[in-house]
Amino acid sequence: MMDKTKGTVIHDKKYETFIQWLQVNNFPESKLALANFTNTGRGMMAIDDIEAGEVIVSVPRKFLITNESLVKTYGSNHALSSHQLLALNLLVLKKDKESWWKAYTDLLPIHFNTMPVKYTKVLVDHLPTALKEEVLQQKENIHSDYLACIAYLKSNPGILESIQPEEYEWAWLCVNTRCIHMTKMDHFTKGGNIALAPMLDFLNHTTEAKIESGYNVRNQSFEIKTLTPYKKGEQVYINYGPHDNLAMLKEYGFVLSENCYNFVLLDHEVWKLYEEMESKRGLAIKKQILEGAGYSGDYSIKEDEISFRLMAALRLLALNGATEPGFDRRVMDWHDVVMGQADMISPENERKALVMLQSICDNVAKQAEKEIATLAHITEKHPEAEFHPFALYFLRQIWNESSEIITQTLACLREKLSDL
């Protein structure tokens, strides 16, 4: 939901120095000012009415930190990806007290303690399984990128004497949470054409914001145009894309109070059920069928939707005798449903698949209930654990949202089963 409350302009020495730096260097004026908002914290406020179709931020090329702009400093004959290079460059700028970018780097976040990759083990242990795996992978990616930069520095002495893992993690997360994707393609860029853009990265996200963005070749600037009007004093938003709160938390360190993209992923539960109900041979056969049809994984439920992929997997599981004669014919019936040529294989198969999903949802509902109860008292049970209060708040919200989705799905399943 967009925060319609009026903001309070931030009068901070670092921010005022930043604005002066922009003005001195002919940064295009905008109708935005950094402000504090009751519900969302720091964000950009309209200091005048903004009409739909207006460009809210225009970042000239010289203010964009891109792979292309860093060629003069680091050359083009290196193996670093855009993300690795931009993170390394941030550390170089941060350590240079005379840097032209100092006013910008001084305003970058001090920490990222609301991001799961920074959670202490006490909180990591209570992340949903799929998110936990992604966070651990993200941690590995950061370490791998750190090692790549260390190798680069060894073969290019003089850029930086050394960097610590914690320093690089900070820089990596700065890039991850603040970068933009350029529409002006640099074909020599490895790992995506991304950039850091001062001013633009103060704008907060909401799914309701409608924008157009891209590199304007005519005026050599990256522009964001709002298709949503704003009144003076309101917070101005951009839209990062169709991300659910699990993705928002992992990539940006916050969640939305209302997010229409939220879902519960049930891959682990579905595969566990397959392992329990099928022989090794039967499991292999059915997995091969799912993979061949493009229906392996991504089994989700939303508030008002049970994914077709999920039902396809459960309908296949409900077909008996993968290793018995006649199974191939039954699989053809399954393919008819997948291709939309039939609504169901049979009432019996449909009921069996729905009962399986009901069983899965019952188990996940119990897990969510247990996690919510545990997180409510986690500070009492672990008084020694240090974590950001918002980290706990966001994690509790994730589980509450999961519980709501599962509860609604169970109600829907009861209705479907009573109709069969």
Side-chain angles (χ1 to χ4, degrees), residues 20-297:
Q20 287 167 9
W21 172 67
L22 294 181
Q23 291 169 346
V24 166
N25 290 286
N26 302 313
F27 192 95
E29 288 188 15
S30 75
K31 295 180 181 178
L32 304 177
L34 193 65
N36 276 320
F37 294 87
T38 312
N39 298 336
T40 58
R42 195 171 80 163
M44 297 304 280
M45 183 184 79
I47 54 176
D48 204 347
D49 289 355
I50 296 174
E51 294 178 12
E54 274 195 61
V55 172
I56 52 173
V57 183
S58 180
V59 185
R61 183 176 179 173
K62 75 172 182 178
F63 285 93
L64 294 170
I65 304 176
T66 66
N67 193 78
E68 188 181 17
S69 72
L70 298 178
V71 167
K72 288 179 184 176
T73 308
Y74 303 94
S76 57
N77 189 26
H78 59 73
L80 297 181
S81 69
S82 299
H83 199 138
Q84 292 166 351
L85 185 60
L86 262 59
L88 177 61
N89 182 65
L90 263 191
L91 289 178
V92 172
L93 297 180
K94 196 72 176 168
K95 289 172 185 281
D96 181 4
K97 303 303 177 188
E98 304 300 318
S99 166
W100 184 76
W101 297 94
K102 189 176 188 306
Y104 170 63
T105 56
D106 281 352
L107 272 182
L108 292 172
I110 297 167
H111 67 78
F112 290 93
N113 293 341
T114 62
M115 297 191 69
V117 76
K118 295 290 291 178
Y119 285 3
T120 56
K121 188 176 184 301
V122 168
L123 290 189
V124 170
D125 287 346
H126 295 284
L127 289 171
T129 306
L131 178 58
K132 187 191 294 184
E133 288 177 356
E134 289 181 10
V135 168
L136 293 174
Q137 183 59 57
Q138 188 180 55
K139 196 179 276 287
E140 283 182 25
N141 293 345
I142 295 171
H143 184 65
S144 155
D145 286 0
Y146 166 72
L147 294 178
C149 286
I150 290 294
Y152 171 81
L153 291 176
K154 281 181 181 176
S155 58
N156 294 271
I159 291 175
L160 269 183
E161 285 186 18
S162 65
I163 51 174
Q164 297 303 312
E166 298 78 17
E167 290 179 310
Y168 187 79
E169 181 184 59
W170 169 84
W172 194 97
L173 291 172
C174 276
V175 175
N176 198 63
T177 55
R178 306 175 88 79
C179 73
I180 57 171
H181 292 267
M182 298 285 285
T183 47
K184 177 177 176 289
M185 291 307 295
D186 171 4
H187 298 291
F188 297 101
T189 300
K190 180 189 169 192
N193 200 25
I194 59 174
L196 289 173
M199 191 71 167
L200 187 153
D201 53 9
F202 293 136
L203 287 157
N204 287 329
H205 161 85
T206 177
T207 56
E208 293 177 323
K210 293 179 176 62
I211 63 163
E212 288 178 357
S213 64
Y215 191 80
N216 186 330
V217 179
R218 191 176 65 258
N219 62 15
Q220 296 287 292
S221 301
F222 188 92
E223 296 179 341
I224 291 190
K225 182 189 291 183
T226 179
L227 305 181
T228 310
Y230 294 93
K231 293 291 183 186
K232 180 180 178 179
E234 288 181 354
Q235 182 166 187
V236 178
Y237 292 92
I238 55 174
N239 191 328
Y240 298 171
H243 304 305
D244 70 293
N245 273 349
L246 290 177
M248 294 299 300
L249 187 59
K250 184 192 125 196
E251 300 296 345
Y252 304 107
F254 69 91
V255 297
L256 300 177
S257 56
E258 291 180 33
N259 191 335
C260 61
Y261 298 109
N262 284 343
F263 65 89
V264 175
L265 193 65
L266 298 175
D267 285 29
H268 282 271
E269 289 73 20
V270 170
W271 291 127
K272 186 180 176 186
L273 198 59
Y274 260 82
E275 287 168 4
E276 288 172 357
M277 294 183 66
E278 290 289 346
S279 64
K280 282 187 179 180
R281 174 83 177 128
L283 177 61
I285 291 170
K286 289 188 175 179
K287 267 197 172 183
Q288 191 175 24
I289 292 167
L290 288 168
E291 286 166 3
Y295 279 79
S296 178

Side-chain angles (χ1 to χ4, degrees), residues 296-348:
S296 178
D298 195 18
Y299 305 133
S300 63
I301 51 174
K302 297 180 75 171
E303 275 192 5
D304 55 355
E305 181 188 332
I306 297 167
S307 79
F308 187 76
R309 297 178 65 84
L310 172 58
M311 287 308 298
L314 293 176
R315 285 168 180 145
L316 182 63
L317 179 57
L319 288 179
N320 293 327
T323 57
E324 296 170 12
F327 180 69
D328 289 347
R329 182 185 54 77
R330 292 194 292 276
V331 169
M332 287 176 68
D333 293 337
W334 177 82
H335 274 291
D336 285 344
V337 175
V338 166
M339 298 301 290
Q341 294 171 352
D343 291 332
M344 64 173 73
I345 295 168
S346 69
E348 182 192 357

